[in-house]
């Protein structure tokens, strides 16, 4: 008993830190509720990525923080856009890293939704926001293509538009970019745990909510179906998001499917723990480390092969020092 043959241990290689890229130079803006996480201009991003790389982290997830917003998210697919430029610079300056880019519209649309909204819907500012799926697929494919052309290794569609993986796969293949893989946000729930992230990106919906396109957390079957269809559409890795309140979904996905499963340990999951560790009387130096490793181990134990977490750099430091 307990001889440790099946011991589950989190490794640095399992972890992927998200990065927020912002315009300008020498920028390092703090994000409320997320101590230790910043919006970085490309020069500082490169420094941080180099440091993360030397700690053993090999893959990174990039989000663009844009002030240029319009109804169609046109800034998201510009060749000289922020994310595109960041990818090119990373690929030029840092070797041996896997660059993953988030493909979505919410950070680039004036209404803050993840897709193109039907005109009558936008005018009435209704609660039940309906995405124009066909138009959204066109824009998502353009974004993915622009990231791939800049050198991204993986694109990660997170808009929850129907058939987004298929549309992106076809577009990449047609453009000679078969080498670029897809990390699909397949089981992405309409969760209450995204607050600090939306604050970081200024991407909160200006009206209505995301329940029309993100999944209902009362309905686990739907999540499994979404994962299954993304795999059929060509996803190379599928993701469950958030992680902690959805360990059952991660486990079911792991049991049912054979491709790698990623879990996104999202912003409010990070913020909750940070808040506790900053306020508690329990200020032993190892408290935060022990809590984080216990939590990340639960996510891995549930079946996640990869964990996207704002704690990635801290864990890499704890495990290597
Ligand atoms: C949407 C997106 C979200 C997150 C990443 N991409 C959620 C949302 O705003 O609906 C959340 C990540 C986090 O909370 O850390 N494209």
């Amino acid at each position: 008993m307990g001889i440790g043959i099946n011991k589950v241990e989190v490794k640095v290689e399992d972890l992927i830190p998200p990065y927020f890229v912002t315009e300008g130079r020498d920028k390092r803006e703090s994000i409320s509720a997320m101590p230790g996480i910043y919006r970085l201009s490309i020069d500082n991003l490169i420094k941080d990525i180099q440091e993360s790389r030397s700690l053993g982290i090999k893959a990174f997830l990039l989000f663009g923080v844009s002030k240029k917003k319009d109804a169609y998210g046109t800034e998201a697919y510009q060749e000289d856009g922020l994310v595109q430029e960041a990818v090119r610079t990373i690929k030029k300056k840092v070797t041996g890293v896997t660059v993953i880019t988030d493909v979505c519209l919410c950070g680039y649309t004036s209404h803050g939704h993840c897709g193109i909204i039907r005109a009558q819907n936008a005018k009435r500012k209704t609660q039940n926001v309906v995405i124009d799926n066909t138009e959204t697929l066109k824009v998502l494919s353009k974004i993915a293509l622009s990231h791939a052309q800049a050198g991204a290794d993986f694109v990660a569609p997170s808009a929850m538009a129907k058939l987004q993986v298929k549309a992106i796969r076809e577009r990449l293949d047609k453009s000679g970019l078969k080498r670029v893989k897809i990390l699909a946000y397949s089981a992405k729930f309409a969760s209450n745990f995204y607050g600090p992230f939306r604050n970081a990106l200024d991407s909160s919906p200006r009206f209505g909510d995301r329940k029309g396109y993100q999944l209902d957390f009362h309905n686990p079957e739907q999540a499994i179906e979404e994962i299954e269809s993304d795999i059929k559409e060509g996803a190379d890795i599928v993701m469950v998001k958030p992680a902690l309140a959805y360990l059952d979904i991660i486990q079911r996905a792991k049991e049912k499917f054979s491709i790698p499963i990623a879990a996104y340990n999202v912003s409010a999951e990070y913020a909750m723990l940070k808040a506790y560790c900053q306020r508690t009387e329990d200020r032993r130096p190892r408290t935060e480390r022990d809590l984080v490793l216990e939590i990340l181990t639960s996510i891995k134990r549930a079946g996640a092969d990869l964990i996207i977490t704002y704690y990635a750099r801290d864990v890499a430091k704890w495990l290597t020092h």
Side-chain angles (χ1 to χ4, degrees), residues 104 106 158 188 194 197-198 210 214 241 266-267 310:
C104 196
C106 57
S158 70
K188 178 173 176 180
Y194 303 146
F197 170 94
R198 291 182 185 171
R210 304 213 205 286
Q214 296 181 348
K241 176 184 173 180
V266 300
S267 57
Y310 301 97

Side-chain angles (χ1 to χ4, degrees), residues 100-111:
I100 309 166
T101 56
D102 184 82
V103 174
C104 196
L105 282 170
C106 57
Y108 298 89
T109 46
S110 39
H111 44 66

